[in-house]
Amino acid sequence: MDAGDKKNIEHLYLRMYRLMFEYASSVLSSEHLAEEAIQETFRIACQKPEELCASQNPEGWLLRTLKYTISNMTRSRDAANRILKDYFASKLNEMYEAEEAVGVEIMYDDLAELEEFKLLKEMVIDGRSHLEMARDRGISVPTCKKRVQRAKELLRKKLEKN
């Protein structure tokens, strides 16, 4: 990326941030997730500066990229949510005769202590962003995303066993 592309992207960021933030916040219902989506959008813009700057409508290019970024984030969260729901449903079927209501961590004590379970629980149930979880763990956002991916795979394998 040359200095001209960098200046154009900085100008677009300053001009478009508020609109992008309001849109992402309304779709994702979370300011933290909205910020994460905007960061990802501008990361993509920085990887494709020629494409962005050559566009006849760079603002539209950014908004379209934000829309796809939000869609990918939502799809990823939905997939994690489905995996957890399937796992919980399989465990509930095993325990439906139990009369006592117990917490999720107790009911799934074979997974509750696993970092993978905690990570997915934070993301799906608590609605936390990759950025928030990464900060709490002192890791980078890409590392956190990879851990979420691995956690999904681990829970998927456990579900297949059941």
Side-chain angles (χ1 to χ4, degrees):
M1 173 168 37
D2 65 24
D5 290 340
K6 184 177 179 184
K7 187 171 183 145
N8 284 337
I9 291 173
E10 286 177 18
H11 180 69
L12 282 168
Y13 178 84
L14 294 172
R15 198 169 71 225
M16 295 293 295
Y17 179 82
R18 194 77 204 135
L19 173 68
M20 293 172 73
F21 181 77
E22 289 175 13
Y23 173 73
S25 294
S26 69
V27 172
L28 295 168
S29 301
S30 166
E31 291 183 357
H32 293 294
L33 293 175
E35 288 173 4
E36 190 171 314
I38 292 169
Q39 284 179 351
E40 179 66 10
T41 299
F42 277 96
R43 184 196 61 77
I44 293 167
C46 289
Q47 284 186 324
K48 300 179 178 186
E50 301 84 18
E51 189 178 320
L52 171 63
C53 294
S55 172
Q56 291 182 358
N57 181 4
E59 294 86 357
W61 189 98
L62 280 173
L63 289 173
R64 189 172 46 255
T65 303
L66 176 63
K67 178 183 163 188
Y68 292 134
T69 299
I70 290 170
S71 176
N72 288 338
M73 288 173 69
T74 302
R75 188 174 32 253
S76 176
R77 288 181 175 283
D78 289 347
N81 199 5
R82 276 191 305 278
I83 290 168
L84 282 175
K85 282 182 179 178
D86 289 347
Y87 184 78
F88 291 160
S90 71
K91 287 297 183 179
L92 282 174
N93 285 336
E94 293 172 13
M95 301 179 70
Y96 76 95
E97 293 177 354
E99 292 180 7
E100 230 175 7
V102 293
V104 169
E105 285 80 5
I106 295 169
M107 204 154 75
Y108 306 107
D109 64 350
D110 60 328
L111 288 179
E113 294 306 314
L114 292 177
E115 178 63 20
E116 290 86 354
F117 179 82
K118 292 176 184 176
L119 195 65
L120 286 177
K121 181 177 173 256
E122 283 180 38
M123 187 175 92
V124 174
I125 295 173
D126 301 337
R128 301 194 66 216
S129 69
H130 288 105
L131 178 63
E132 292 172 304
M133 294 186 301
R135 282 184 185 157
D136 288 351
R137 288 166 173 77
I139 59 176
S140 68
V141 173
T143 301
C144 184
K145 287 180 180 181
K146 190 62 174 178
R147 287 185 183 177
V148 167
Q149 178 187 358
R150 288 181 182 143
K152 289 178 194 176
E153 291 169 7
L154 175 76
L155 286 177
R156 190 174 287 121
K157 287 178 185 175
K158 285 196 173 276
L159 277 173
E160 289 170 358
K161 284 182 192 177
N162 293 340

